[in-house]
Amino acid sequence: MSYAAPATIPEAIGLLANAAGLAKVMSGGTDLLVQFRSGRTRPELIVDTKKLPGITGIRVTDDGFVIGAATSGAEIGECAALVQAWPGVVEAANLIGSTQVQGRASLAGNLCNASPAADSVPAMIAARATCVVVGSKGRREVPVEDIVIGPGRTSLARDEFIIAFHLPRRPAHAADAYLRFIPRTEMDIAVVGAGVSVTLDAAGVCTDARVALGAVAPTAVLVPDAAAALIGHTLDEAALAKLDAAARAACKPIDDKRGTIAFRTKVAGVLARRAAAIAFERAGAR
């Protein structure tokens, strides 16, 4: 196995494009190194992106936020402006692993590991986050929901990788929330995850919404019908019931040792309701 830590984006692209065998990009390494040690993957080349300019750090722009792809969960959690604007995204990122893991774990690594149960992914999809992807064919911006195409698989070409995420600027009376269910109290993989983002008018009526679920299908699921259940309404019982039903209808889970199909489906509706209630409360307070 070879290891490289390129100092420029073109150098990193060249290494990936010219690799003779399997090449893996290391953003944080908290998934990749575990897989390597367990024998689940045997890359012939690991390309560590930590030295690339702009790959870490958070910038506030006129359009919102730019988060470097290798920015750690710990740094994300310490950014007061990001916590204020996108608390749900921060909550999700800070659920990845232990305190020690948080010093390395990144949004790009969590996304490109392509686990259906990744915590940050439903929250980013609900937030309309986009990825800045670079490769030999140039640079492109891709919605987060278009990156993962199946368990362990992404839409990225072999010489492509993510260098940054964009989160849009928040209007007034807008907020998000992320919740997950796990069998233990911490450091476990989500049985179900739910991200909800809403914008309200001055009367508390929802004017825009996004709802995404994790661990209930081969990839995280954007649920337009769940968003439609909220838009045009205050958070009354009728809207919550429609949200619950839409979340359940979007589920295509599996039975495994952490949860049955019936259990995951029911919990998806419950978590969607609870996350929506938190998002509405936060948005109404702004």
Side-chain angles (χ1 to χ4, degrees):
M1 186 190 74
S2 298
Y3 167 87
T8 68
I9 290 174
E11 183 184 357
I13 293 170
L15 286 166
L16 294 170
N18 296 317
L22 177 64
K24 288 284 190 178
V25 174
M26 186 166 75
S27 177
T30 58
D31 285 313
L32 178 60
L33 295 181
V34 171
Q35 292 170 8
F36 177 74
R37 292 189 65 181
S38 67
R40 287 175 55 196
T41 186
R42 288 291 181 186
E44 295 186 39
L45 172 66
I46 290 179
V47 178
D48 188 343
T49 61
K50 283 283 190 179
K51 293 185 179 179
L52 298 180
I55 202 77
T56 61
I58 302 168
R59 292 187 293 112
V60 181
T61 71
D62 291 340
D63 297 325
F65 293 85
V66 178
I67 305 173
T71 305
S72 71
E75 187 173 352
I76 288 170
E78 292 168 358
C79 180
L82 187 61
V83 172
Q84 173 65 23
W86 292 102
V89 172
V90 175
E91 286 168 341
N94 286 168
L95 286 172
I96 303 169
S98 63
T99 300
Q100 293 89 338
V101 168
Q102 281 288 308
R104 288 287 303 188
S106 66
L107 293 179
N110 196 231
L111 174 60
C112 293
N113 185 52
S115 166
D119 280 308
S120 69
V121 179
M124 288 196 291
I125 291 174
R128 289 191 176 90
T130 58
C131 311
V132 181
V133 176
V134 294
S136 59
K137 293 184 179 180
R139 178 180 300 227
R140 59 195 179 102
E141 193 157 351
V142 185
V144 165
E145 58 265 34
D146 291 342
I147 295 294
V148 179
I149 58 175
R153 298 187 298 124
T154 75
S155 60
L156 301 177
R158 62 175 280 130
D159 63 352
E160 286 187 318
F161 60 96
I162 297 170
I163 61 167
F165 292 88
H166 286 166
L167 286 171
R169 184 181 179 89
R170 276 303 216 185
H173 304 301
D176 65 330
Y178 175 77
L179 293 174
R180 71 174 181 184
F181 176 83
I182 57 175
R184 301 186 296 177
T185 57
E186 60 184 342
M187 288 195 300
D188 208 339
I189 299 171
V191 176
V192 179
V196 178
S197 178
V198 298
T199 302
L200 311 181
D201 65 15
V205 175
C206 182
T207 59
D208 183 55
R210 295 259 290 189
V211 178
L213 301 173
V216 295
T219 66
V221 180
L222 179 65
V223 191
D225 287 346
L230 298 175
I231 296 172
H233 304 281
T234 57
L235 197 65
D236 55 23
E237 189 54 41
L240 284 171
K242 290 180 181 178
L243 169 66
D244 188 319
R248 293 188 190 208
C251 293
K252 297 179 181 178
I254 60 171
D255 282 317
D256 65 16
K257 63 184 180 182
R258 293 183 298 116
T260 64
I261 290 173
F263 180 74
R264 280 191 160 105
T265 302
K266 181 174 182 177
V267 171
V270 173
L271 288 189
R273 291 169 65 113
R274 292 179 181 176
I278 295 170
F280 264 74
E281 182 179 3
R282 287 173 173 169
R286 297 184 177 186

